């Protein structure tokens, strides 16, 4: 089955057509800066129409969409119907930058190409197994019930995919995959940590929105919740100003002027003190989450690095793992230095490690294509 995977961002539309039998990418591309001066398309509807036109000579069976926010309503891959399209409108406030353009693309395809089955794969779905002790905030019931204020998590498709590969690796070493304890670190422009037991998520770092948790390229992650209130009261900032600063001007960018970890590491090597501090804060936040999840899990079988930074930055992996010897993590530094994962996990652990350190390449497009094909085939 050929599946066209569509991943809509606030100003982008990525696509890939994947042969799910041979696991082969037939096409892939990016329509960038949508709606901006000099951009590739004036709006998302034009963008998806362009993407479909590029596949005029390729027969595909279904379209699989990555959707950021499914709330507590959509907890598994879901085939698009009129009712589903209507229900999705209510989720717009939970992901205002991503869900509305994705929904408009889905509506456009349903209107203009109704014969093509569409399947929605939600970033939040993997976290439907979180227990209330993990997803509830200490706010009044009315805030939770009436406004849906709770932890939903993000990057779930990636965390689920790499956790599955990590479990395969552990099972080959004689570890029972049904009870294996894994922490996955999805470290890219956005970053999140997830704790899982036997492939079921039990905690994750992102919350109601993707702002909570780790330090990211331009997002601050965890801060005192009173900071926005303080800035609005004392500096006269508007809600929009606070949102812009915390989401687009903070993180690595806010700390050292570099949103790209590669540039930040280069600056730190050149004795840029702000870059050194930014990386130290980034790594310290990771240590706090790994340590807390170690406690919540009651032990650990594998720590997994994935996504752009996790897969490609040996230096960040080293900085995270080396101080954690007391948790049983020990790294083979030469292996870490050359490790460039392709499809399968690479084990970075030294011989005396009691907890495995893995780098596992994520492939969200393949995961979405596979889940789409399974649903269409009735599996």
């Amino acid at each position: 089955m050929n599946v066209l995977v569509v991943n809509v961002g606030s100003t982008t539309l990525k696509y890939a057509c994947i042969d799910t039998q041979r696991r082969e990418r037939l096409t892939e591309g990016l329509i960038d800066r949508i709606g901006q001066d000099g951009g590739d398309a004036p709006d998302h509807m034009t963008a998806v129409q362009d993407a479909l036109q590029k596949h005029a000579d390729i027969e595909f069976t279904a379209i699989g969409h990555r959707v950021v926010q499914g709330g507590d309503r959509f907890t598994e891959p879901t085939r698009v119907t009129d009712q589903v399209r209507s229900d999705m409108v209510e989720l717009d406030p939970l992901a205002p930058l991503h869900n509305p353009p994705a929904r408009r693309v889905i509506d456009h395809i349903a209107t203009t190409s109704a014969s093509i089955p569409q399947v929605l794969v939600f970033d939040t779905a993997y976290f439907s197994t979180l227990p209330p002790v993990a997803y509830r905030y200490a706010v009044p019931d009315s805030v939770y019930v009436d406004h849906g204020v709770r932890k939903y998590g993000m990057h779930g498709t990636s965390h689920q995919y790499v956790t599955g590969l990590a479990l395969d690796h552990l099972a080959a070493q004689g570890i029972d995959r049904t009870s294996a304890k894994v922490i996955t670190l999805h470290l890219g422009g956005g970053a999140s940590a997830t704790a899982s037991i036997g492939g079921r998520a039990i905690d994750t770092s992102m919350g109601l929105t993707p702002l909570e948790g780790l330090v990211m390229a331009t997002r601050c992650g965890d801060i005192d919740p009173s900071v926005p209130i303080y800035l609005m009261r004392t500096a006269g900032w508007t809600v929009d100003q606070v949102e812009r600063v915390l989401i687009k001007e903070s993180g690595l960018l806010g700390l050292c002027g570099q949103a790209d970890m590669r540039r930040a590491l280069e600056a730190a090597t050149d004795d840029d003190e702000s870059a050194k501090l930014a990386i130290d804060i980034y790594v310290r936040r990771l240590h706090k989450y790994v340590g807390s999840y170690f406690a919540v899990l009651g032990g650990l079988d594998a720590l997994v690095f994935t996504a752009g930074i996790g897969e490609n930055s040996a230096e960040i992996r080293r900085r995270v793992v080396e101080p954690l010897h007391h948790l049983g993590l020990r790294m083979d530094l030469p292996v870490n230095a050359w490790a460039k994962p392709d499809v399968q996990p690479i084990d970075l652990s030294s011989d005396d490690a009691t907890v495995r350190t893995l780098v596992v390449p994520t492939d969200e497009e393949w995961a979405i294509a596979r889940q789409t094909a399974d649903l269409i085939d009735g599996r």
Side-chain angles (χ1 to χ4, degrees):
M1 181 184 294
N2 293 339
V3 175
L4 179 62
V5 177
V6 175
N7 182 348
V8 175
S10 56
T11 60
T12 61
L13 188 148
K14 299 178 185 178
Y15 61 84
C17 189
I18 298 176
D19 181 333
T20 59
Q21 287 185 323
R22 295 183 294 176
R23 192 174 176 173
E24 178 183 351
R25 291 188 181 224
L26 306 177
T27 67
E28 60 183 342
L30 169 67
I31 301 173
D32 201 6
R33 300 178 61 202
I34 297 171
Q36 300 178 359
D37 291 341
D40 295 335
D43 53 52
H44 283 85
M45 284 72 74
T46 303
V48 74
Q49 201 59 48
D50 290 348
L52 291 172
Q53 185 59 41
K54 293 178 188 297
H55 295 82
D57 297 329
I58 299 177
E59 183 177 350
F60 54 87
T61 306
I63 298 175
H65 295 268
R66 176 209 179 211
V67 181
V68 167
Q69 178 59 262
D72 54 10
R73 182 170 306 181
F74 298 106
T75 60
E76 56 187 15
T78 301
R79 188 159 178 167
V80 172
T81 65
D82 290 343
Q83 184 61 54
V84 167
R85 289 165 54 202
S86 176
D87 291 344
M88 284 186 64
V89 176
E90 298 179 19
L91 300 174
D92 283 359
L94 293 175
L97 296 179
H98 293 87
N99 266 43
R103 184 171 50 76
R104 287 193 290 270
V105 164
I106 293 161
D107 287 346
H108 180 77
I109 295 172
T111 302
T112 61
S113 305
S115 62
I116 303 175
Q118 298 187 81
V119 173
L120 310 181
V121 177
F122 297 90
D123 256 5
T124 50
Y126 183 54
F127 305 115
S128 64
T129 58
L130 294 183
V133 70
Y135 71 69
R136 283 292 301 270
Y137 293 121
V139 296
D141 274 354
S142 59
V143 176
Y144 164 60
V145 174
D146 297 341
H147 303 287
V149 175
R150 52 157 288 181
K151 181 186 289 282
Y152 292 103
M154 306 292 162
H155 297 147
T157 303
S158 175
H159 284 291
Q160 182 178 27
Y161 175 74
V162 299
T163 297
L165 289 180
L167 292 176
D168 291 342
H169 181 83
L170 293 172
Q173 298 183 356
I175 297 174
D176 182 1
R177 64 177 296 135
T178 64
S179 59
K181 299 169 181 178
V182 177
I183 296 173
T184 47
L185 303 177
H186 177 108
L187 307 180
S192 59
T194 293
S196 301
I197 298 178
R200 290 174 60 86
I202 65 164
D203 212 337
T204 194
S205 59
M206 286 183 169
L208 175 74
T209 74
L211 186 59
E212 185 180 353
L214 303 177
V215 175
M216 306 176 220
T218 64
R219 283 173 259 176
C220 61
D222 292 340
I223 59 170
D224 184 333
S226 292
V227 169
I229 300 169
Y230 174 81
L231 291 171
M232 287 187 283
R233 282 181 175 166
T234 63
W237 287 16
T238 65
V239 171
D240 288 342
Q241 284 178 299
V242 172
E243 183 178 54
R244 184 185 71 249
V245 168
L246 298 186
I247 294 176
K248 297 183 178 181
E249 299 176 8
S250 296
L252 293 174
L253 179 65
L255 288 167
C256 69
Q258 300 286 350
D260 190 317
M261 178 59 80
R262 292 167 296 186
R263 304 288 86 79
L265 286 168
E266 289 171 1
T269 302
D270 292 336
D271 287 330
D272 184 316
E273 294 301 324
S274 65
K276 291 180 180 179
L277 178 61
I279 294 167
D280 286 345
I281 292 172
Y282 182 94
V283 172
R284 183 181 179 87
R285 188 74 57 82
L286 282 163
H287 284 156
K288 291 175 71 174
Y289 270 92
V290 171
S292 67
Y293 287 169
F294 190 98
V296 168
L297 290 168
L300 188 62
D301 292 300
L303 177 67
V304 177
F305 291 88
T306 194
I309 297 171
E311 294 174 30
N312 296 294
S313 180
E315 177 64 11
I316 291 299
R317 294 195 299 260
R318 182 189 67 79
R319 289 179 182 233
V320 172
V321 172
E322 278 199 323
L324 301 179
H325 286 187
H326 60 295
L327 300 183
L329 290 148
R330 290 176 173 80
M331 177 178 281
D332 185 319
L333 294 178
V335 173
N336 178 57
W338 63 254
K340 295 293 181 185
D342 182 15
V343 176
Q344 295 302 317
I346 295 178
D347 197 324
L348 309 179
S349 314
S350 61
D351 291 340
D352 58 345
T354 57
V355 176
R356 312 316 296 172
T357 299
L358 308 177
V359 54
V360 181
T362 191
D363 193 342
E364 292 171 281
E365 289 81 11
W366 160 246
I368 291 169
R370 185 180 63 185
Q371 291 181 57
T372 298
D374 285 348
L375 183 61
I376 294 299
D377 278 348
R379 294 193 296 270

